Amino acid sequence: WKAEPSHPRISAMSKIRVGFICGKDTDFVEHPGQGPKYSNIGDPSFLKDMPDDWRVDPKSHEYLKDCPPGTKGQAHCDVALAWYIQKHNKDIEADIITPEELTLERLEKNDVNFTMGYNMVNIAVEGDPAAYGIKMKAFKKANNLFPTWAQEEFILHKSHYMKACMDAGVPMAPTIFAMKNCRSPTQLLKQIKARGWKTFVMKQSESGFCLGFLKLTVEQCEQDPSILAKYFSGYANCPEYIVQEAIEGFTRNWETRCFWWNGKFLYAIANMAAVSSKDGKECIITGDDIPKEFLENAKRVGRAAIKAMPKMKLPNGKMIDQILLRTDIGCCDSELHDNTYNWNPNKKTFFLNEIEPNSTTYFVRWLKFDCLPLYGKLYTQSAREIYQKMHGGGKSTKRSSANAKTTKVTKVQKKTLKVGPKKLAQMTKAAKSGRKK
């Protein structure tokens, strides 16, 4: 892919300033590191002139700008993408924003911002009260951040998108939503038994990295009621627990993760849990290595889930598509005990496990093609589209207002503004007559 020329509606002197909120430390494109090398599929030479400040120390997981002098690090795909976009597009000025630099004021200095590798889940996991308010204000108040806070919250508060998908007929595992302020261990266990479940898992909204994940049996909870009681006490502030019947085939089959841009399929990776792989390690495959049955069904279920997701609304009321979303599709090939479901235990049933926003892992090094030029093109096109929809005829943002040049109005101009069209014509005629003399 070659760099595209500047957008025809953007003057040669102006640039779209695009902010990229970065923070990835597990999706690197430079080595040393474990696993496949990005250099096997792409050319990382464009990173040679990137400042070391934005590389990450693989030991401390801190940016080098916050590490002792001499520390070596790696570029991860979020920072690499931002650098790639700036180097290949003359009309884009990239602003790389690390977690410590995230403020509403910083976002407002840009025309468009993308959440690339850091979001509300990271803030919650960090547990820093001093930084929480500042960063959450940036996410909630910035009107030029994408995905928008409404879209981000719709995904992170899992019951929102899960209920939307259920209403749209997207298959999902049997689920109970245990909402804050109206749940108890006794009540939950009663609900689980009423549905006929034997084994279940518990997950949390507004969480990630498997934090709060727990797999239990009804028998365990009946024998020791303190198990659920401790969970409820330890995670009392969680807005909702997602409780689902455990699906036996989930771990022994491929979970296929499909990547979508504005509703269009990009690529997929599939992974199998370490407990089910031959060598006891998590296995990741992609491209034509994914069994066709799993890929096609994952695309089918994922596409239906994407259609159930709302579009994003700009401050001026205009709508844009969802940008990047990832659908994680599981496979059930065993008996369910839920008395409201009728999945055939002798056939594979593919179901939606989760939806992830665009700050998710891209699996750059694991693919069979170089996805950085692809994402570079897509983010650039979206930045231009959003910029035009926000500024093309609507109200200006704080940045465009601050950068607008003001011209002093002269006394003659003030006088001209006050007269009517007939008087203005007479004044113009007199002026021309005076210039001829």
Side-chain angles (χ1 to χ4, degrees), residues 145-184:
L145 177 61
F146 303 93
T148 61
W149 175 247
Q151 179 84 340
E152 186 91 355
E153 189 177 38
F154 191 85
I155 296 173
L156 298 181
H157 205 80
K158 298 180 187 296
S159 65
H160 292 337
Y161 79 78
M162 292 179 74
K163 289 178 180 179
C165 288
M166 289 174 182
D167 291 342
V170 178
M172 302 188 74
T175 303
I176 295 171
F177 299 108
M179 315 302 286
K180 186 179 180 181
N181 299 326
C182 58
R183 65 191 179 205
S184 70

Side-chain angles (χ1 to χ4, degrees), residues 24 26-27 77 116 147 151-152 155-156 158 161 165 172 207-210 250 255-271 282 284 298-299 301-307 309 322-330 351-364 366-367 375 379:
K24 291 183 184 293
T26 58
D27 211 357
C77 74
M116 294 281 282
Q151 179 84 340
E152 186 91 355
I155 296 173
L156 298 181
K158 298 180 187 296
Y161 79 78
C165 288
M172 302 188 74
S207 183
F209 315 106
C210 294
F250 184 78
E255 182 182 15
T256 309
R257 306 166 190 259
C258 296
F259 292 75
W260 309 83
W261 191 280
N262 290 346
K264 295 181 180 179
F265 176 77
L266 295 182
Y267 62 87
I269 72 103
N271 67 293
E282 181 185 27
I284 298 176
K299 289 165 67 175
V301 175
R303 186 173 287 109
I306 294 298
K307 288 181 179 179
M309 296 292 290
Q322 304 117 339
I323 309 179
L324 179 67
L325 290 173
R326 193 186 87 188
T327 54
D328 297 353
I329 310 301
F351 62 94
L352 177 68
N353 184 39
E354 283 189 321
I355 293 180
E356 297 281 352
N358 67 316
S359 53
T360 189
T361 301
Y362 293 3
F363 294 92
V364 173
W366 300 88
L367 303 177
Y375 278 125
Y379 273 110

